[in-house]
């Protein structure tokens, strides 16, 4: 990815199969400045990575439109309504097709089953069939309005195959009708109007199920969007006013009463309450929120009135960032999808060639025109690549939506796939396995304690590390005045150095300070407490013991990882005693203590050289290099923005079980994709030879109803893939039962 490259997701209308996706991708890749284009027809999203200095959104949209597909406004409500309207329209068309296809099929095939069909020996019999077929052709006109233009542009799609197959059937039937009226009553047996109608109807059944699945697979995104309340109560000019939530301004004072949804992100300025944040974190238990606490848009205020100052509104809120992250993931493609994409890109032209070649071969072999036309139609219809194209994107769309229900956000489809292949999980300690809210539990000093605490807290006042905040908070609680440090430097994983009131102060572990604990200043980390040492003017002045409780979910999360065959390892910059105490409580036997950021990086590299697929879970700035190096970087949602930016997966809660849930969902999705691809490839491998005449070669004969059977088989293949992918909606990670 070039420096300055940006990604844009565009919603489109008109994609019906993998060949459509391929056509859009090819059109976009021709643009100078487009580095990557992914078209996902399961949710009609086109994700484009581009250089804004060379190409813009309008040019990208124009290229998509030139390829034959519309670009829609990025309005979630309008998009949802569009998908529902498409499903309703497809249903109405399907009803018309069924209403006319059933009597047509009875009329055409009744004599074969001994039914007494009126006019079956009269030329009017052909006209009746044509009259019943025409409404079906009109209801299914989308196959022709999309299929033939795609063929004209050199990018044939599934619609093209249906259009060609049914057109061949209708033209051949019209020819037979003319022959019947010319006195050739034997041509009655050559009428295949019912085949054309049945093909359109059965394919439409599959298309209707696909359209419904698109509505269902995006339920997770729409459900999140619907959580944003339509109105908000704000105080302006000293009066409370109800306004549309979209009109909240930064700095507005917002009033939230019990039972109301919070309309924006902000800080509580008055009141206290319990807030249901399950939509963000996946945690069902409410959390207490009071003055100074952060609250988030879309969450529910349960039992107390709150006032908050709005700090993030509209699309800057955490809720909309989650929605955008899910949409980004659903707009990208997993590596396993490339196999299907490469096949789909050439599949339709190859099928057309096979159909024509099969027809010509049977004609040259002496079979009649009717037999050869049946073969042509059957091959064209049975080989529609719907199932192949649906296999991966539909599973990824459902998988990312399911993950969001548990507070797990995959940034892209590739991360979702890689999560399913993890064999080694490396976890940081502070803020990941522990609560990340440490507090001072003991002080040992060689100088007056108040002076000692002032030096330590002043030095740590510019640090963002949780241990530093614990020391500063302790000093403030003791009423000790904190001085502003100068010449401040920080060594991630080691400590800080600075000058405080003319003294050189260093705070960190003994390795960083270059000192050893002594009898006056012991290392008490063996009991699970973290010990921070303080040196003043190069001499050890004392130590501060800090306790950071282990998360209640840690043991269960680690246990689930082990059950999945994943080896957990804790890598921390803390002392060996503390690391072993926390690791023992969590159930981790492989522990690396005193690790600097580069040590974490090297441990991951060494494991990768050995062939392990490594995930790293962390929350601090010092974890960012390791998160980038790991096959899958997992950031705990309470961590720093830098860690979240470097990660592939973001856990929106503080639950270690969600780390194992991310792997479980990744595995379930990858398994589902492989099942779908197996169904799709096997279907085509078996059905195309049958449609091309293999049963006749083997002596089983060739049914005149083969085109209808081909259409039914093609629809069933799509239905099987859709049904299998939607099974993921019922998947529950064993580590996090809702």
């Amino acid at each position: 990815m070039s420096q300055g490259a940006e990604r844009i997701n565009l919603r489109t209308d008109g994609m019906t199969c993998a060949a459509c996706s391929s056509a859009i991708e090819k059109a976009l890749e021709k643009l100078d400045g487009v580095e990557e284009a992914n078209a996902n027809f399961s949710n009609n999203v086109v994700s484009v990575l581009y250089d804004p200095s060379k190409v813009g959104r309008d040019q990208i949209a124009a290229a998509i439109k030139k390829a034959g597909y519309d670009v829609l406004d990025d309005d979630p409500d309008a998009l949802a309504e569009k998908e529902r309207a498409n499903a309703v329209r497809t249903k109405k068309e399907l009803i018309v097709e069924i209403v006319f296809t059933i009597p047509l099929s009875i009329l055409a095939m009744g004599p074969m089953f001994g039914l007494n069909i009126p006019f079956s020996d009269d030329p009017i019999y052909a006209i009746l069939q044509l009259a019943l077929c025409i409404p079906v052709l009109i209801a299914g006109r989308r196959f022709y309005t999309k299929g033939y233009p795609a063929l004209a542009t050199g990018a044939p799609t599934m619609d093209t195959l249906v259009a060609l197959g049914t057109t061949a059937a209708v033209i051949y039937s019209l020819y037979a009708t003319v022959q019947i009226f010319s006195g050739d009553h034997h041509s009655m047996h050559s009428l295949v109007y019912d085949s054309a109608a049945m093909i359109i109807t059965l394919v439409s059944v599959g298309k209707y199920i696909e359209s419904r699945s698109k509505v269902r697979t995006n339920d997770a995104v729409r459900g999140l969007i619907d959580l944003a309340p339509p109105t908000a109560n704000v105080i302006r000019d000293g009066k409370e006013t109800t306004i549309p939530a979209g009109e909240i301004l930064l700095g507005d004072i917002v009033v939230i009463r019990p039972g109301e949804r919070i309309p924006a992100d902000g800080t509580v300025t008055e009141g206290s309450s319990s807030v249901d944040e399950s939509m963000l974190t996946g945690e069902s238990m409410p959390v207490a929120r009071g003055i100074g606490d952060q609250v988030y848009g879309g969450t529910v205020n349960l039992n107390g009135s709150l006032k908050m100052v709005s700090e993030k509104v509209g699309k800057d809120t955490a809720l909309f960032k989650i929605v955008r992250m899910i949409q980004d993931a659903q707009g990208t493609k997993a590596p396993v999808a490339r196999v299907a994409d490469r096949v789909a890109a050439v599949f339709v032209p190859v099928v057309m060639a096979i159909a024509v070649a099969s027809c010509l071969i049977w004609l040259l072999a002496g079979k009649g025109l009717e037999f050869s036309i049946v073969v042509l139609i059957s091959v064209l219809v049975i080989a529609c690549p719907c199932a192949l194209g649906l296999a991966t994107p539909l599973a990824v769309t459902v998988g990312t939506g399911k993950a969001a229900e548990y507070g797990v956000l995959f940034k892209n489809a590739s991360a979702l796939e890689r999560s399913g292949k993890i064999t080694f999980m490396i976890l940081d300690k502070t803020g990941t396995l522990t609560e990340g809210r440490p507090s001072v539990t003991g002080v040992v000093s060689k100088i007056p304690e108040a002076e000692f605490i002032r030096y330590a807290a002043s030095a740590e006042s510019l640090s963002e590390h949780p241990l530093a905040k614990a020391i500063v908070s302790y000093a403030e609680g003791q009423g000790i005045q904190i001085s502003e440090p100068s010449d401040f430097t920080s060594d991630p994983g080691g400590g800080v150095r600075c000058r405080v009131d003319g003294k050189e102060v260093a705070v960190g572990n003994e390795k960083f300070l270059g000192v050893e604990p002594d009898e006056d200043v012991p290392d008490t980390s063996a009991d699970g407490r973290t010990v921070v040492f303080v040196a003043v003017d190069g001499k050890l002045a004392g130590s501060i013991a800090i306790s950071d409780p282990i998360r209640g979910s840690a043991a269960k999360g680690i246990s689930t990882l082990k059950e999945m065959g994943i080896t957990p390892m804790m890598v921390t910059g803390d002392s060996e005693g503390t690391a072993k105490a926390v690791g023992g409580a969590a159930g981790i036997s492989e522990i690396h203590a005193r690790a600097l950021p580069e040590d974490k990086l090297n441990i991951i590299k060494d494991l990768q050289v050995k062939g392990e697929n490594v995930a790293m879970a962390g929350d601090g700035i010092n974890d960012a290099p390791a998160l980038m190096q790991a096959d899958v970087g997992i950031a705990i949602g309470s961590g720093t923005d830098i860690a979240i930016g470097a990660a592939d997966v973001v856990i929106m809660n503080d639950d270690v079980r969600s780390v194992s849930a991310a792997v479980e969902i990744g595995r379930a999705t990858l398994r589902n994709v492989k099942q779908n691809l197996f169904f799709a490839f096997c279907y085509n491998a078996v059905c195309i030879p049958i449609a091309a005449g293999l049963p006749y070669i083997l002596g089983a004969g060739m049914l005149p109803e083969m085109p209808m059977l081909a259409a039914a088989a093609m629809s069933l293949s799509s239905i099987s893939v859709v049904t299998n992918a939607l099974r993921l909606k019922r998947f529950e990670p064993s580590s996090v039962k809702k």
Side-chain angles (χ1 to χ4, degrees), residues 678-697:
F678 176 80
F679 291 151
F681 279 118
C682 284
Y683 158 79
N684 284 294
V686 171
C687 290
I688 290 178
I690 292 175
L694 181 62
Y696 185 85
I697 295 174

Side-chain angles (χ1 to χ4, degrees), residues 30-47:
K30 292 178 182 177
L31 294 177
D32 182 33
V34 171
E35 298 183 10
E36 178 186 291
N38 294 312
N40 183 342
F41 86 92
S42 74
N43 59 5
N44 287 317
V45 173
V46 179
S47 180

Side-chain angles (χ1 to χ4, degrees), residues 385-701:
C386 277
L388 188 63
L390 279 170
T392 299
L394 195 58
V396 167
T397 299
V398 177
T400 51
K402 171 57 65 175
E405 294 179 17
Y406 294 94
V408 178
L409 301 180
F410 290 93
K411 288 188 177 179
N412 52 61
S414 179
L416 181 65
E417 179 182 330
R418 294 196 307 274
S419 294
K421 299 177 180 179
I422 293 304
T423 59
F424 233 93
M425 177 68 70
I426 294 178
L427 301 105
D428 178 43
K429 181 184 74 69
T430 305
T432 302
L433 290 172
T434 61
E435 292 182 357
R437 292 189 292 271
S439 58
V440 173
T441 56
V443 175
V444 178
S445 64
K446 294 183 175 183
I447 60 177
E449 186 171 310
E451 183 181 354
F452 171 76
I453 293 298
R454 183 170 62 82
Y455 283 134
S458 299
E460 294 282 33
S461 63
L462 297 182
S463 175
E464 291 294 319
H465 196 282
L467 299 182
K469 292 181 179 179
I471 294 172
V472 172
S473 177
Y474 180 77
E476 292 173 345
Q478 297 291 315
I480 296 173
Q481 185 69 35
I482 296 175
S483 302
E484 184 173 347
S486 59
D487 300 331
F488 179 88
T489 60
S490 174
D491 182 359
V496 299
R497 294 183 191 277
C498 62
R499 297 192 70 82
V500 177
D501 298 337
K503 299 282 188 178
E504 183 181 324
V505 179
V507 183
N509 57 44
E510 65 267 36
K511 182 179 178 181
F512 173 73
L513 268 62
V515 298
E516 292 290 338
D518 54 33
E519 292 182 359
D520 295 327
V521 184
D523 183 345
T524 59
S525 60
D527 60 0
R529 292 186 294 174
T530 298
V531 178
V532 174
F533 295 92
V534 181
V536 179
D537 286 337
K539 295 180 180 180
L540 182 63
S543 66
I544 302 173
I546 300 173
S547 178
D548 187 8
I550 187 171
R551 294 191 189 279
S553 61
K556 174 62 177 175
I558 298 304
S559 174
T560 304
L561 289 173
K562 290 179 178 179
E563 290 171 4
M564 290 189 287
I566 297 171
T567 304
M569 175 191 292
M570 185 172 73
V571 182
T572 176
D574 215 331
S575 67
E576 189 169 347
T578 301
K580 286 183 176 180
V582 173
I588 301 175
S589 55
E590 289 200 44
I591 297 170
H592 290 264
R594 306 286 188 210
L596 299 173
E598 55 265 32
D599 296 327
K600 296 181 180 182
L601 195 66
N602 291 331
I603 288 171
I604 293 173
K605 288 181 178 179
D606 290 342
L607 289 170
Q608 289 172 329
V609 168
K610 295 175 182 177
E612 301 285 357
N613 289 307
V614 185
M616 167 72 191
D619 72 326
I621 294 174
N622 60 323
D623 296 321
L627 291 171
M628 292 287 287
Q629 176 64 36
D631 295 288
V632 178
I634 303 175
I636 303 298
S638 59
T640 65
D641 289 341
I642 293 176
I644 292 173
D648 304 297
V649 183
V650 178
I651 306 297
M652 294 303 297
N653 53 53
D654 298 328
D655 196 332
V656 181
R657 294 176 300 170
S658 295
V659 174
S660 53
V663 179
E664 286 189 82
I665 293 171
R667 286 189 176 184
T669 304
L670 186 59
R671 183 167 58 249
N672 193 279
V673 167
K674 290 179 177 178
Q675 291 168 350
N676 288 346
L677 289 174
F678 176 80
F679 291 151
F681 279 118
C682 284
Y683 158 79
N684 284 294
V686 171
C687 290
I688 290 178
I690 292 175
L694 181 62
Y696 185 85
I697 295 174
L698 298 176

